[in-house]
Amino acid sequence: MSIAKKNALILVIEDEAPIRRFLKMALVDHGFSFSEAATGKEGLSKLAAERPELVIMDLGLPDMDGLEVTRQIREWSNVPIIVLSARENENDKVEALDAGADDYLVKPFGVGELMARLRVALRHANRLSEDQLDSTFAFGDIQVDFAKRQVMRGPEEIHLTPIEYKMLNTLIRYSGKVVTHKHLLRETWGGEYSDETQYLRVYMAQLRKKLELDPAQPKYLITEPGVGYRLKVDS
Amino acid sequence: MSIAKKNALILVIEDEAPIRRFLKMALVDHGFSFSEAATGKEGLSKLAAERPELVIMDLGLPDMDGLEVTRQIREWSNVPIIVLSARENENDKVEALDAGADDYLVKPFGVGELMARLRVALRHANRLSEDQLDSTFAFGDIQVDFAKRQVMRGPEEIHLTPIEYKMLNTLIRYSGKVVTHKHLLRETWGGEYSDETQYLRVYMAQLRKKLELDPAQPKYLITEPGVGYRLKVDS
DNA sequence: CTCGATTTTGATGAAATCTTGATATAGGAC
DNA sequence: GTCCTATATCAAGATTTCATCAAAATCGAG
């Protein structure tokens, strides 16, 4: 199972300072980043500005009803919302959940349970964002699939060694731009190797042999003499 | 807000007949279709056969632990699971949620709250792309049935040890993609073992011996030197 | 406790990858 | 043209990683 991303930013919308402090401790303690708002309005504006990965919201806010905040958030965001409330009444739970909250915890609650439910919510969110990613890059008849770590040339698979793949990856991330020798060496081998330009020549030749139609007349893996290399994008 | 699809099929895994009847009434009353299983094994097989849109599961089953059922479901399916339990203990909740449950309700609970939490779960499921895996997976002449935890090679069953099965399961869940050594070790043995790449070699050889036609020239269980392994999908 | 299955561990040879140095080529300065 | 520098190519070790086998340790059912 995928581990929840560490350092995820959690926005706490809660008017009572002691509870905010309590939540801050618990969250930071579990490796999350923390942001806070004391009112509904502030919460909405921080949500828009900071794009947290999850919202924990108290229902009893001074300026506006937590339910209303929830509804407003749901008009434009799918961020997971965990609602906290002192009210155990079933109707309150149903209302909050139907307003768009993802979970409802009755105060007082255990930190362990809060964290577990938070992991559930982040799990959902992660699954959502995963399949929206397009992780391929193409040039010429070459197609690179980063999720599969696979390079295709038309219908057939091209096998790249770890170093070849890393170099290509770097060139793609800066595609169109020149990547200096130093930079390419650092990204591929690490800082200590930043003067071994000979390595680059060897591996660039390898890449060209595998990816270019005519390795002697490269169309994509371009040498910039004295500077570095560049992946030319289709135009 | 998206209204939960009407007539969604809900599978109830619960050994006590009175509770099953109670849930059936409540669910049918709210416009859902209903299916039931009295044991964990029956639940797993009905899940595979009927493809319900949500599972409600009691933790106290006669044949196997509800947590174990949850984990096994999560090996191949993302169907929402709402756990019911008489145990209010925080640890039980955390365990169930971390095992893969999406919500945890303590008995007795109100029908209104159950329905609201069910709507939340279905809302999530609707947002998710249909990445519900099939309960079987095939490559070459191998057929894997996750619900039965059974591997067939043509007409005959192939016996896999627990570790072999876990490794194969992970490779299948990421099929087509390279699974790094670390990742594979973590998923199979747990985080502490993430450097024991020797284990992988031993078990990969075992799997190939059992699953490949020519273990020396694997067609499916592919080595990516220096990176990890990959289950190549038929194309 | 005993037996059989499974997992862990160590040893060995094979394969893939990386490094290194030697040599070839291209292009600019003069 | 020659000289010079930067780049390209090639292939032989050196090194790392992998496959395979089998013995030892561990686990679990009866």
Side-chain angles (χ1 to χ4, degrees), chain A residues 1 90 93 97-98 100-104 110 112-113 117 119 123-124 127-128 131 148 150 157, chain B residues 1 78 90 93 97-98 100-104 110 112-113 117 119 123-124 128-129 178 187 230:
Chain A
M1 181 183 315
E90 184 173 10
K93 296 186 191 176
L97 294 170
D98 281 343
D102 295 280
D103 208 338
Y104 186 106
E113 180 175 2
R117 289 186 180 274
R119 284 192 290 273
R123 205 160 66 204
H124 287 150
R127 240 181 20 231
L128 274 176
D131 43 51
K148 292 183 178 171
Q150 195 178 53
E157 186 176 341
Chain B
M1 179 194 322
N78 283 326
E90 184 174 10
K93 296 185 190 177
L97 294 170
D98 281 342
D102 294 280
D103 208 338
Y104 185 108
E113 179 175 0
R117 290 189 179 273
R119 283 193 291 274
R123 202 160 69 203
H124 286 151
L128 293 173
S129 62
V178 175
E187 294 246 350
R230 186 159 61 89

mmCIF file of all heavy atoms in Angstrom, chain A residues 1 90 93 97-98 100-104 110 112-113 117 119 123-124 127-128 131 148 150 157, chain B residues 1 78 90 93 97-98 100-104 110 112-113 117 119 123-124 128-129 178 187 230:
data_model
loop_
_atom_site.group_PDB
_atom_site.id
_atom_site.type_symbol
_atom_site.label_atom_id
_atom_site.label_comp_id
_atom_site.label_asym_id
_atom_site.label_seq_id
_atom_site.Cartn_x
_atom_site.Cartn_y
_atom_site.Cartn_z
ATOM 1 N N MET A 1 0.843 -1.212 0.000
ATOM 2 C CA MET A 1 0.000 0.000 0.000
ATOM 3 C C MET A 1 0.868 1.248 0.000
ATOM 4 O O MET A 1 1.940 1.270 0.577
ATOM 5 C CB MET A 1 -0.864 -0.010 1.240
ATOM 6 C CG MET A 1 -1.791 1.180 1.328
ATOM 7 S SD MET A 1 -2.681 1.106 2.863
ATOM 8 C CE MET A 1 -3.162 -0.619 2.876
ATOM 9 N N GLU A 90 -26.925 12.400 16.060
ATOM 10 C CA GLU A 90 -26.826 11.757 14.754
ATOM 11 C C GLU A 90 -27.126 12.721 13.611
ATOM 12 O O GLU A 90 -26.470 12.695 12.568
ATOM 13 C CB GLU A 90 -27.774 10.557 14.675
ATOM 14 C CG GLU A 90 -27.631 9.798 13.358
ATOM 15 C CD GLU A 90 -28.443 8.524 13.332
ATOM 16 O OE1 GLU A 90 -29.263 8.332 14.250
ATOM 17 O OE2 GLU A 90 -28.260 7.734 12.395
ATOM 18 N N LYS A 93 -24.164 14.736 12.523
ATOM 19 C CA LYS A 93 -23.217 13.954 11.716
ATOM 20 C C LYS A 93 -23.708 13.851 10.279
ATOM 21 O O LYS A 93 -22.964 14.109 9.320
ATOM 22 C CB LYS A 93 -23.066 12.547 12.297
ATOM 23 C CG LYS A 93 -22.466 12.497 13.693
ATOM 24 C CD LYS A 93 -22.233 11.045 14.088
ATOM 25 C CE LYS A 93 -21.897 10.933 15.571
ATOM 26 N NZ LYS A 93 -21.749 9.532 16.005
ATOM 27 N N LEU A 97 -21.699 15.277 7.013
ATOM 28 C CA LEU A 97 -21.218 14.350 5.985
ATOM 29 C C LEU A 97 -21.879 14.652 4.648
ATOM 30 O O LEU A 97 -21.222 14.628 3.599
ATOM 31 C CB LEU A 97 -21.484 12.905 6.416
ATOM 32 C CG LEU A 97 -20.690 12.461 7.658
ATOM 33 C CD1 LEU A 97 -21.178 11.115 8.163
ATOM 34 C CD2 LEU A 97 -19.193 12.400 7.346
ATOM 35 N N ASP A 98 -23.160 14.965 4.684
ATOM 36 C CA ASP A 98 -23.841 15.264 3.426
ATOM 37 C C ASP A 98 -23.453 16.630 2.872
ATOM 38 O O ASP A 98 -23.600 16.895 1.684
ATOM 39 C CB ASP A 98 -25.361 15.178 3.614
ATOM 40 C CG ASP A 98 -25.834 13.729 3.600
ATOM 41 O OD1 ASP A 98 -25.053 12.876 3.131
ATOM 42 O OD2 ASP A 98 -26.950 13.455 4.053
ATOM 43 N N GLY A 100 -20.518 17.515 2.660
ATOM 44 C CA GLY A 100 -19.289 17.313 1.906
ATOM 45 C C GLY A 100 -18.100 16.897 2.759
ATOM 46 O O GLY A 100 -17.016 16.671 2.240
ATOM 47 N N ALA A 101 -18.311 16.789 4.075
ATOM 48 C CA ALA A 101 -17.212 16.330 4.925
ATOM 49 C C ALA A 101 -16.910 14.872 4.625
ATOM 50 O O ALA A 101 -17.788 14.129 4.184
ATOM 51 C CB ALA A 101 -17.580 16.493 6.392
ATOM 52 N N ASP A 102 -15.660 14.482 4.843
ATOM 53 C CA ASP A 102 -15.264 13.102 4.579
ATOM 54 C C ASP A 102 -15.297 12.250 5.830
ATOM 55 O O ASP A 102 -15.344 11.029 5.747
ATOM 56 C CB ASP A 102 -13.865 13.075 3.960
ATOM 57 C CG ASP A 102 -13.855 13.726 2.602
ATOM 58 O OD1 ASP A 102 -14.251 13.064 1.644
ATOM 59 O OD2 ASP A 102 -13.487 14.920 2.510
ATOM 60 N N ASP A 103 -15.262 12.893 6.981
ATOM 61 C CA ASP A 103 -15.325 12.133 8.222
ATOM 62 C C ASP A 103 -15.789 13.078 9.328
ATOM 63 O O ASP A 103 -15.728 14.301 9.177
ATOM 64 C CB ASP A 103 -13.967 11.519 8.559
ATOM 65 C CG ASP A 103 -14.119 10.237 9.365
ATOM 66 O OD1 ASP A 103 -15.175 10.045 9.999
ATOM 67 O OD2 ASP A 103 -13.181 9.422 9.351
ATOM 68 N N TYR A 104 -16.243 12.493 10.414
ATOM 69 C CA TYR A 104 -16.817 13.268 11.505
ATOM 70 C C TYR A 104 -16.345 12.653 12.807
ATOM 71 O O TYR A 104 -16.625 11.493 13.075
ATOM 72 C CB TYR A 104 -18.344 13.198 11.403
ATOM 73 C CG TYR A 104 -19.106 14.065 12.395
ATOM 74 C CD1 TYR A 104 -19.738 15.240 11.982
ATOM 75 C CD2 TYR A 104 -19.214 13.708 13.738
ATOM 76 C CE1 TYR A 104 -20.457 16.029 12.866
ATOM 77 C CE2 TYR A 104 -19.913 14.499 14.636
ATOM 78 C CZ TYR A 104 -20.542 15.654 14.195
ATOM 79 O OH TYR A 104 -21.253 16.442 15.076
ATOM 80 N N GLY A 110 -9.371 10.361 20.487
ATOM 81 C CA GLY A 110 -7.976 9.986 20.704
ATOM 82 C C GLY A 110 -7.119 10.455 19.542
ATOM 83 O O GLY A 110 -7.586 10.517 18.401
ATOM 84 N N GLY A 112 -4.673 8.856 18.313
ATOM 85 C CA GLY A 112 -4.469 7.699 17.434
ATOM 86 C C GLY A 112 -5.575 7.588 16.408
ATOM 87 O O GLY A 112 -5.323 7.407 15.213
ATOM 88 N N GLU A 113 -6.822 7.718 16.864
ATOM 89 C CA GLU A 113 -7.931 7.598 15.923
ATOM 90 C C GLU A 113 -7.902 8.730 14.908
ATOM 91 O O GLU A 113 -8.086 8.516 13.712
ATOM 92 C CB GLU A 113 -9.277 7.598 16.652
ATOM 93 C CG GLU A 113 -10.439 7.479 15.668
ATOM 94 C CD GLU A 113 -11.795 7.350 16.344
ATOM 95 O OE1 GLU A 113 -11.850 7.381 17.591
ATOM 96 O OE2 GLU A 113 -12.794 7.219 15.601
ATOM 97 N N ARG A 117 -7.701 8.146 10.891
ATOM 98 C CA ARG A 117 -8.716 8.626 9.949
ATOM 99 C C ARG A 117 -8.110 9.617 8.960
ATOM 100 O O ARG A 117 -8.518 9.716 7.807
ATOM 101 C CB ARG A 117 -9.886 9.251 10.712
ATOM 102 C CG ARG A 117 -10.719 8.188 11.444
ATOM 103 C CD ARG A 117 -11.968 8.745 12.080
ATOM 104 N NE ARG A 117 -12.743 7.716 12.778
ATOM 105 C CZ ARG A 117 -13.648 6.943 12.183
ATOM 106 N NH1 ARG A 117 -13.886 7.066 10.889
ATOM 107 N NH2 ARG A 117 -14.296 6.031 12.876
ATOM 108 N N ARG A 119 -5.025 9.357 7.895
ATOM 109 C CA ARG A 119 -4.329 8.515 6.907
ATOM 110 C C ARG A 119 -5.316 7.981 5.866
ATOM 111 O O ARG A 119 -5.005 7.920 4.672
ATOM 112 C CB ARG A 119 -3.619 7.344 7.602
ATOM 113 C CG ARG A 119 -2.342 7.743 8.312
ATOM 114 C CD ARG A 119 -1.527 6.514 8.729
ATOM 115 N NE ARG A 119 -2.135 5.740 9.795
ATOM 116 C CZ ARG A 119 -1.973 5.977 11.094
ATOM 117 N NH1 ARG A 119 -1.233 6.989 11.488
ATOM 118 N NH2 ARG A 119 -2.544 5.205 11.997
ATOM 119 N N ARG A 123 -5.045 8.706 1.976
ATOM 120 C CA ARG A 123 -4.980 7.555 1.078
ATOM 121 C C ARG A 123 -5.920 7.794 -0.104
ATOM 122 O O ARG A 123 -5.544 7.611 -1.255
ATOM 123 C CB ARG A 123 -5.418 6.326 1.865
ATOM 124 C CG ARG A 123 -4.888 5.013 1.373
ATOM 125 C CD ARG A 123 -4.969 3.980 2.496
ATOM 126 N NE ARG A 123 -6.338 3.653 2.891
ATOM 127 C CZ ARG A 123 -6.647 3.161 4.100
ATOM 128 N NH1 ARG A 123 -5.719 2.971 5.006
ATOM 129 N NH2 ARG A 123 -7.902 2.858 4.378
ATOM 130 N N HIS A 124 -7.134 8.192 0.204
ATOM 131 C CA HIS A 124 -8.095 8.473 -0.869
ATOM 132 C C HIS A 124 -7.569 9.541 -1.816
ATOM 133 O O HIS A 124 -7.602 9.391 -3.022
ATOM 134 C CB HIS A 124 -9.425 8.958 -0.277
ATOM 135 C CG HIS A 124 -10.200 7.873 0.381
ATOM 136 N ND1 HIS A 124 -11.047 8.092 1.435
ATOM 137 C CD2 HIS A 124 -10.238 6.546 0.144
ATOM 138 C CE1 HIS A 124 -11.589 6.940 1.811
ATOM 139 N NE2 HIS A 124 -11.113 5.986 1.041
ATOM 140 N N ARG A 127 -4.853 8.371 -4.109
ATOM 141 C CA ARG A 127 -5.333 7.538 -5.200
ATOM 142 C C ARG A 127 -5.918 8.401 -6.299
ATOM 143 O O ARG A 127 -5.777 8.118 -7.475
ATOM 144 C CB ARG A 127 -6.372 6.560 -4.681
ATOM 145 C CG ARG A 127 -5.935 5.163 -4.923
ATOM 146 C CD ARG A 127 -6.835 4.058 -4.493
ATOM 147 N NE ARG A 127 -8.203 4.341 -4.273
ATOM 148 C CZ ARG A 127 -8.827 3.990 -3.148
ATOM 149 N NH1 ARG A 127 -8.161 3.443 -2.168
ATOM 150 N NH2 ARG A 127 -10.107 4.211 -3.024
ATOM 151 N N LEU A 128 -6.597 9.470 -5.871
ATOM 152 C CA LEU A 128 -7.177 10.366 -6.853
ATOM 153 C C LEU A 128 -6.130 10.995 -7.747
ATOM 154 O O LEU A 128 -6.250 10.998 -8.957
ATOM 155 C CB LEU A 128 -7.942 11.480 -6.137
ATOM 156 C CG LEU A 128 -9.373 11.167 -5.777
ATOM 157 C CD1 LEU A 128 -9.959 12.313 -4.996
ATOM 158 C CD2 LEU A 128 -10.151 10.908 -7.051
ATOM 159 N N ASP A 131 -3.792 8.806 -10.718
ATOM 160 C CA ASP A 131 -4.120 8.438 -12.085
ATOM 161 C C ASP A 131 -4.416 9.650 -12.965
ATOM 162 O O ASP A 131 -4.833 9.514 -14.096
ATOM 163 C CB ASP A 131 -5.278 7.435 -12.122
ATOM 164 C CG ASP A 131 -6.372 7.820 -11.158
ATOM 165 O OD1 ASP A 131 -6.814 8.993 -11.207
ATOM 166 O OD2 ASP A 131 -6.745 6.961 -10.360
ATOM 167 N N LYS A 148 6.459 3.494 -15.780
ATOM 168 C CA LYS A 148 6.923 2.122 -15.991
ATOM 169 C C LYS A 148 8.440 2.036 -16.021
ATOM 170 O O LYS A 148 9.004 0.956 -16.022
ATOM 171 C CB LYS A 148 6.382 1.587 -17.320
ATOM 172 C CG LYS A 148 4.890 1.370 -17.331
ATOM 173 C CD LYS A 148 4.485 0.758 -18.668
ATOM 174 C CE LYS A 148 2.997 0.481 -18.720
ATOM 175 N NZ LYS A 148 2.574 0.092 -20.088
ATOM 176 N N GLN A 150 10.200 2.833 -18.640
ATOM 177 C CA GLN A 150 10.336 2.072 -19.878
ATOM 178 C C GLN A 150 10.460 3.012 -21.057
ATOM 179 O O GLN A 150 9.795 4.040 -21.109
ATOM 180 C CB GLN A 150 9.093 1.197 -20.046
ATOM 181 C CG GLN A 150 9.252 0.108 -21.074
ATOM 182 C CD GLN A 150 8.013 -0.742 -21.151
ATOM 183 O OE1 GLN A 150 6.914 -0.225 -21.323
ATOM 184 N NE2 GLN A 150 8.183 -2.045 -21.008
ATOM 185 N N GLU A 157 10.765 -2.364 -27.331
ATOM 186 C CA GLU A 157 11.292 -1.813 -26.096
ATOM 187 C C GLU A 157 12.796 -1.590 -26.217
ATOM 188 O O GLU A 157 13.514 -2.398 -26.767
ATOM 189 C CB GLU A 157 11.005 -2.794 -24.965
ATOM 190 C CG GLU A 157 11.390 -2.268 -23.612
ATOM 191 C CD GLU A 157 10.989 -3.252 -22.519
ATOM 192 O OE1 GLU A 157 10.128 -4.121 -22.789
ATOM 193 O OE2 GLU A 157 11.541 -3.148 -21.426
ATOM 194 N N MET B 1 -23.291 18.552 -5.410
ATOM 195 C CA MET B 1 -22.736 17.282 -4.905
ATOM 196 C C MET B 1 -23.289 16.110 -5.707
ATOM 197 O O MET B 1 -24.450 16.100 -6.096
ATOM 198 C CB MET B 1 -23.132 17.127 -3.442
ATOM 199 C CG MET B 1 -22.631 15.838 -2.841
ATOM 200 S SD MET B 1 -23.474 15.564 -1.291
ATOM 201 C CE MET B 1 -23.552 17.229 -0.672
ATOM 202 N N ASN B 78 -10.054 -1.918 -4.452
ATOM 203 C CA ASN B 78 -10.197 -0.659 -3.722
ATOM 204 C C ASN B 78 -11.635 -0.405 -3.310
ATOM 205 O O ASN B 78 -11.983 0.717 -2.963
ATOM 206 C CB ASN B 78 -9.717 0.505 -4.586
ATOM 207 C CG ASN B 78 -8.207 0.579 -4.619
ATOM 208 O OD1 ASN B 78 -7.545 0.259 -3.634
ATOM 209 N ND2 ASN B 78 -7.658 0.981 -5.751
ATOM 210 N N GLU B 90 -9.873 2.408 20.966
ATOM 211 C CA GLU B 90 -9.202 3.181 19.922
ATOM 212 C C GLU B 90 -8.257 2.322 19.087
ATOM 213 O O GLU B 90 -8.159 2.471 17.875
ATOM 214 C CB GLU B 90 -8.421 4.349 20.535
ATOM 215 C CG GLU B 90 -7.789 5.238 19.472
ATOM 216 C CD GLU B 90 -7.145 6.481 20.065
ATOM 217 O OE1 GLU B 90 -7.029 6.565 21.299
ATOM 218 O OE2 GLU B 90 -6.766 7.353 19.272
ATOM 219 N N LYS B 93 -9.931 0.562 16.299
ATOM 220 C CA LYS B 93 -10.254 1.444 15.179
ATOM 221 C C LYS B 93 -9.020 1.688 14.319
ATOM 222 O O LYS B 93 -9.062 1.581 13.096
ATOM 223 C CB LYS B 93 -10.776 2.788 15.707
ATOM 224 C CG LYS B 93 -12.076 2.698 16.484
ATOM 225 C CD LYS B 93 -12.545 4.111 16.855
ATOM 226 C CE LYS B 93 -13.716 4.049 17.835
ATOM 227 N NZ LYS B 93 -14.126 5.407 18.263
ATOM 228 N N LEU B 97 -8.662 0.713 10.359
ATOM 229 C CA LEU B 97 -8.486 1.750 9.340
ATOM 230 C C LEU B 97 -7.163 1.571 8.620
ATOM 231 O O LEU B 97 -7.068 1.720 7.404
ATOM 232 C CB LEU B 97 -8.574 3.139 9.993
ATOM 233 C CG LEU B 97 -9.952 3.480 10.576
ATOM 234 C CD1 LEU B 97 -9.887 4.745 11.411
ATOM 235 C CD2 LEU B 97 -10.988 3.627 9.464
ATOM 236 N N ASP B 98 -6.120 1.214 9.367
ATOM 237 C CA ASP B 98 -4.819 1.027 8.723
ATOM 238 C C ASP B 98 -4.769 -0.259 7.901
ATOM 239 O O ASP B 98 -3.938 -0.399 7.007
ATOM 240 C CB ASP B 98 -3.697 1.044 9.766
ATOM 241 C CG ASP B 98 -3.349 2.474 10.187
ATOM 242 O OD1 ASP B 98 -3.718 3.404 9.449
ATOM 243 O OD2 ASP B 98 -2.713 2.658 11.239
ATOM 244 N N GLY B 100 -6.973 -1.016 5.942
ATOM 245 C CA GLY B 100 -7.543 -0.671 4.646
ATOM 246 C C GLY B 100 -9.017 -0.302 4.694
ATOM 247 O O GLY B 100 -9.602 0.019 3.666
ATOM 248 N N ALA B 101 -9.623 -0.348 5.883
ATOM 249 C CA ALA B 101 -11.024 0.048 5.988
ATOM 250 C C ALA B 101 -11.146 1.544 5.737
ATOM 251 O O ALA B 101 -10.210 2.305 5.985
ATOM 252 C CB ALA B 101 -11.568 -0.302 7.368
ATOM 253 N N ASP B 102 -12.315 1.957 5.224
ATOM 254 C CA ASP B 102 -12.519 3.373 4.945
ATOM 255 C C ASP B 102 -13.274 4.069 6.065
ATOM 256 O O ASP B 102 -13.241 5.287 6.166
ATOM 257 C CB ASP B 102 -13.293 3.526 3.626
ATOM 258 C CG ASP B 102 -12.461 3.033 2.468
ATOM 259 O OD1 ASP B 102 -11.601 3.779 2.018
ATOM 260 O OD2 ASP B 102 -12.656 1.875 2.036
ATOM 261 N N ASP B 103 -13.981 3.292 6.867
ATOM 262 C CA ASP B 103 -14.681 3.891 7.997
ATOM 263 C C ASP B 103 -14.913 2.811 9.038
ATOM 264 O O ASP B 103 -14.816 1.611 8.748
ATOM 265 C CB ASP B 103 -16.015 4.509 7.529
ATOM 266 C CG ASP B 103 -16.434 5.684 8.412
ATOM 267 O OD1 ASP B 103 -15.962 5.766 9.566
ATOM 268 O OD2 ASP B 103 -17.225 6.508 7.941
ATOM 269 N N TYR B 104 -15.214 3.254 10.266
ATOM 270 C CA TYR B 104 -15.364 2.323 11.382
ATOM 271 C C TYR B 104 -16.531 2.797 12.216
ATOM 272 O O TYR B 104 -16.492 3.905 12.746
ATOM 273 C CB TYR B 104 -14.076 2.339 12.204
ATOM 274 C CG TYR B 104 -13.997 1.334 13.338
ATOM 275 C CD1 TYR B 104 -13.155 0.229 13.246
ATOM 276 C CD2 TYR B 104 -14.728 1.504 14.505
ATOM 277 C CE1 TYR B 104 -13.051 -0.686 14.283
ATOM 278 C CE2 TYR B 104 -14.644 0.587 15.546
ATOM 279 C CZ TYR B 104 -13.800 -0.504 15.428
ATOM 280 O OH TYR B 104 -13.694 -1.410 16.455
ATOM 281 N N GLY B 110 -26.772 4.500 14.538
ATOM 282 C CA GLY B 110 -28.039 4.878 13.945
ATOM 283 C C GLY B 110 -28.053 4.607 12.452
ATOM 284 O O GLY B 110 -27.017 4.682 11.786
ATOM 285 N N GLY B 112 -29.338 6.425 10.224
ATOM 286 C CA GLY B 112 -29.033 7.683 9.532
ATOM 287 C C GLY B 112 -27.538 7.878 9.378
ATOM 288 O O GLY B 112 -27.059 8.211 8.288
ATOM 289 N N GLU B 113 -26.785 7.655 10.443
ATOM 290 C CA GLU B 113 -25.345 7.837 10.343
ATOM 291 C C GLU B 113 -24.731 6.811 9.392
ATOM 292 O O GLU B 113 -23.886 7.162 8.555
ATOM 293 C CB GLU B 113 -24.681 7.710 11.720
ATOM 294 C CG GLU B 113 -23.171 7.885 11.624
ATOM 295 C CD GLU B 113 -22.464 7.886 12.974
ATOM 296 O OE1 GLU B 113 -23.144 7.740 14.006
ATOM 297 O OE2 GLU B 113 -21.227 8.038 12.977
ATOM 298 N N ARG B 117 -22.550 7.877 6.132
ATOM 299 C CA ARG B 117 -21.155 7.446 5.929
ATOM 300 C C ARG B 117 -21.030 6.598 4.670
ATOM 301 O O ARG B 117 -20.009 6.618 3.979
ATOM 302 C CB ARG B 117 -20.652 6.690 7.159
ATOM 303 C CG ARG B 117 -20.467 7.642 8.370
ATOM 304 C CD ARG B 117 -19.776 6.974 9.538
ATOM 305 N NE ARG B 117 -19.586 7.898 10.663
ATOM 306 C CZ ARG B 117 -18.519 8.700 10.786
ATOM 307 N NH1 ARG B 117 -17.566 8.690 9.861
ATOM 308 N NH2 ARG B 117 -18.407 9.498 11.830
ATOM 309 N N ARG B 119 -22.894 7.101 2.050
ATOM 310 C CA ARG B 119 -22.912 8.055 0.928
ATOM 311 C C ARG B 119 -21.524 8.666 0.724
ATOM 312 O O ARG B 119 -21.067 8.851 -0.413
ATOM 313 C CB ARG B 119 -23.940 9.158 1.201
ATOM 314 C CG ARG B 119 -25.389 8.722 0.971
ATOM 315 C CD ARG B 119 -26.348 9.909 0.950
ATOM 316 N NE ARG B 119 -26.509 10.552 2.246
ATOM 317 C CZ ARG B 119 -27.379 10.170 3.175
ATOM 318 N NH1 ARG B 119 -28.162 9.121 2.958
ATOM 319 N NH2 ARG B 119 -27.469 10.827 4.323
ATOM 320 N N ARG B 123 -19.393 8.366 -2.600
ATOM 321 C CA ARG B 123 -18.956 9.600 -3.253
ATOM 322 C C ARG B 123 -17.492 9.477 -3.655
ATOM 323 O O ARG B 123 -17.106 9.771 -4.779
ATOM 324 C CB ARG B 123 -19.121 10.744 -2.251
ATOM 325 C CG ARG B 123 -19.231 12.111 -2.809
ATOM 326 C CD ARG B 123 -19.872 13.016 -1.760
ATOM 327 N NE ARG B 123 -19.005 13.254 -0.607
ATOM 328 C CZ ARG B 123 -19.453 13.615 0.608
ATOM 329 N NH1 ARG B 123 -20.757 13.736 0.826
ATOM 330 N NH2 ARG B 123 -18.610 13.835 1.575
ATOM 331 N N HIS B 124 -16.678 8.966 -2.711
ATOM 332 C CA HIS B 124 -15.261 8.759 -3.037
ATOM 333 C C HIS B 124 -15.102 7.796 -4.190
ATOM 334 O O HIS B 124 -14.356 8.041 -5.128
ATOM 335 C CB HIS B 124 -14.529 8.193 -1.821
ATOM 336 C CG HIS B 124 -14.299 9.192 -0.750
ATOM 337 N ND1 HIS B 124 -14.220 8.836 0.576
ATOM 338 C CD2 HIS B 124 -14.144 10.520 -0.804
ATOM 339 C CE1 HIS B 124 -14.008 9.927 1.295
ATOM 340 N NE2 HIS B 124 -13.965 10.964 0.473
ATOM 341 N N LEU B 128 -13.280 8.225 -7.942
ATOM 342 C CA LEU B 128 -12.125 7.451 -8.386
ATOM 343 C C LEU B 128 -12.398 6.842 -9.742
ATOM 344 O O LEU B 128 -13.490 6.409 -10.025
ATOM 345 C CB LEU B 128 -11.843 6.314 -7.398
ATOM 346 C CG LEU B 128 -11.375 6.747 -6.026
ATOM 347 C CD1 LEU B 128 -11.301 5.545 -5.102
ATOM 348 C CD2 LEU B 128 -10.015 7.391 -6.157
ATOM 349 N N SER B 129 -11.369 6.820 -10.551
ATOM 350 C CA SER B 129 -11.530 6.127 -11.818
ATOM 351 C C SER B 129 -11.725 4.647 -11.520
ATOM 352 O O SER B 129 -11.405 4.173 -10.446
ATOM 353 C CB SER B 129 -10.290 6.334 -12.677
ATOM 354 O OG SER B 129 -9.182 5.770 -12.017
ATOM 355 N N VAL B 178 8.256 -1.047 -13.348
ATOM 356 C CA VAL B 178 9.379 -1.579 -12.592
ATOM 357 C C VAL B 178 9.095 -1.389 -11.108
ATOM 358 O O VAL B 178 8.705 -0.299 -10.687
ATOM 359 C CB VAL B 178 10.686 -0.854 -12.957
ATOM 360 C CG1 VAL B 178 11.825 -1.347 -12.076
ATOM 361 C CG2 VAL B 178 11.020 -1.077 -14.413
ATOM 362 N N GLU B 187 7.190 -4.212 0.639
ATOM 363 C CA GLU B 187 5.837 -4.744 0.520
ATOM 364 C C GLU B 187 5.766 -6.200 0.951
ATOM 365 O O GLU B 187 4.741 -6.660 1.424
ATOM 366 C CB GLU B 187 5.346 -4.615 -0.931
ATOM 367 C CG GLU B 187 5.163 -3.185 -1.375
ATOM 368 C CD GLU B 187 3.712 -2.842 -1.652
ATOM 369 O OE1 GLU B 187 2.872 -3.751 -1.677
ATOM 370 O OE2 GLU B 187 3.419 -1.645 -1.832
ATOM 371 N N ARG B 230 10.221 -6.455 -12.871
ATOM 372 C CA ARG B 230 9.028 -5.983 -13.561
ATOM 373 C C ARG B 230 8.258 -7.174 -14.088
ATOM 374 O O ARG B 230 8.838 -8.126 -14.604
ATOM 375 C CB ARG B 230 9.462 -5.094 -14.727
ATOM 376 C CG ARG B 230 8.362 -4.402 -15.459
ATOM 377 C CD ARG B 230 8.908 -3.208 -16.204
ATOM 378 N NE ARG B 230 9.896 -3.565 -17.198
ATOM 379 C CZ ARG B 230 9.586 -3.867 -18.459
ATOM 380 N NH1 ARG B 230 8.358 -3.849 -18.845
ATOM 381 N NH2 ARG B 230 10.542 -4.171 -19.309
#
